[in-house]
Amino acid sequence: MTPERLARIKQVLNTRQPDLSVLTDQVHKPRNLSAILRSCDAFGLANMHVVWPKEGFRAFRKTAGGSFKWVTPRTHRTMDEAIASLKGQGHKIYAAQLSGRAIDYRCADFTVPCTIIMGNEVDGVSAEAAKQADEHIVIPMMGMVESLNVSAACAIILSEAQRQRKEAGLFDTRRIPDEEYNRLLFCWCQPVVKRYCDDRKLPYPPLDHKTGEIIDGVSWMQEVRVLRANRPRWTDKNPVETS
């Protein structure tokens, strides 16, 4: 971990916006999902919420440009559950939806805690989700086509959200809570150890915030070996305690 790399990681974490998010409503093309994920990272979002299409979710790493490492995808079974969860966190819900009550996206207030619903490539935002949205927003079109690709539309809207939040000073101080900041700092500084711990259900070791390195990694690994050696293991029939 070079000092420059650590400084860059801290800079990004310090500007992450935990109360601005995107919720995809059955977006089914992996390249679109990946491009939306990339835009979330580029414009400072910490999370992206997803309601899976029937065939599941698979972000193309090439399209995402590595953004899956930096933005946390949070999945929900249904749009009802997703919207209820986000509203429970105090989020205003904007749906990117052409309707009689839609407003120009630049007139929406993105400085408040909010989530932007992006609909799927064929049907757009589902009727029930559109009904539950607090506001509908549209990007004015001046050409012959009536709509943009969902990932392009998402990037345009997030660019405006970023502009508003910059003017409001929301990027000037760290807004991620300490616990989440510390977790992400470890994950971003020590991705190999993170995977090792996640695969084996181990707690993360303490991290030196000044260097980005594990504090006394040798002692930690020795503790891990003892812990794993004393975990119960299963035979074909019965668990056997090892010592």
Side-chain angles (χ1 to χ4, degrees):
M1 176 63 61
T2 65
E4 294 77 15
R5 177 69 170 175
L6 180 60
R8 176 60 177 163
I9 286 173
K10 288 182 176 180
Q11 178 190 11
V12 172
L13 281 175
N14 287 336
T15 57
R16 279 299 196 235
Q17 302 292 296
D19 59 350
L20 172 64
S21 63
V22 167
L23 167 60
T24 60
D25 183 0
Q26 302 289 320
V27 174
H28 65 270
K29 292 183 179 179
R31 290 188 179 276
N32 283 336
L33 285 164
S34 297
I36 291 171
L37 188 68
R38 186 169 185 169
S39 292
C40 287
D41 173 54
F43 292 108
L45 279 63
N47 305 293
M48 170 180 164
H49 295 265
V50 179
V51 172
W52 303 133
K54 292 179 180 179
E55 58 269 29
F57 171 71
R58 179 169 59 89
F60 281 168
R61 294 191 173 211
K62 183 176 180 181
T63 309
S67 305
F68 54 88
K69 299 177 183 177
W70 317 118
V71 178
T72 304
R74 302 189 182 277
T75 63
H76 306 267
R77 291 190 306 167
T78 66
M79 286 298 293
D80 287 344
E81 288 183 7
I83 292 173
S85 174
L86 289 161
K87 283 191 172 183
Q89 298 171 41
H91 280 225
K92 185 172 185 177
I93 306 297
Y94 293 113
Q97 176 77 351
L98 179 61
S99 71
R101 66 183 178 102
I103 62 172
D104 187 311
Y105 76 105
R106 291 164 292 194
C107 295
D109 183 2
F110 295 113
T111 64
V112 300
C114 59
T115 295
I116 304 150
I117 301 177
M118 304 303 302
N120 72 48
E121 297 84 348
V122 177
D123 301 314
V125 175
S126 59
E128 188 58 32
K131 182 178 178 181
Q132 295 182 66
D134 298 298
E135 296 274 8
H136 292 178
I137 56 176
V138 294
I139 300 170
M141 306 296 294
M142 300 181 67
M144 296 297 291
V145 297
E146 296 181 351
S147 63
L148 291 166
N149 171 274
V150 62
S151 62
C154 182
I156 291 171
I157 294 170
L158 289 182
S159 177
E160 171 63 14
Q162 182 196 62
R163 184 193 68 80
Q164 291 185 18
R165 287 186 166 231
K166 273 191 171 183
E167 288 189 354
L170 295 180
F171 286 93
D172 295 343
T173 57
R174 175 161 69 86
R175 306 183 65 236
I176 293 181
D178 288 345
E179 183 178 355
E180 180 69 0
Y181 176 89
N182 292 333
R183 184 188 71 82
L184 290 173
L185 182 64
F186 180 87
C187 293
W188 293 8
C189 289
Q190 298 290 334
V192 175
V193 179
K194 171 197 177 297
R195 287 194 297 271
Y196 179 89
C197 293
D198 290 348
D199 290 345
R200 294 159 180 81
K201 295 181 171 55
L202 297 170
Y204 297 152
L207 187 78
D208 186 337
H209 286 206
K210 294 181 179 179
T211 65
E213 301 295 340
I214 295 170
I215 299 174
D216 196 1
V218 174
S219 295
W220 172 74
M221 183 53 68
Q222 290 173 345
E223 292 174 4
V224 166
R225 288 178 180 140
V226 172
L227 177 64
R228 296 192 67 204
N230 287 286
R231 279 184 173 177
R233 297 184 181 181
W234 290 81
T235 62
D236 291 338
K237 295 182 179 180
N238 299 306
V240 176
E241 294 284 351
T242 63
S243 59

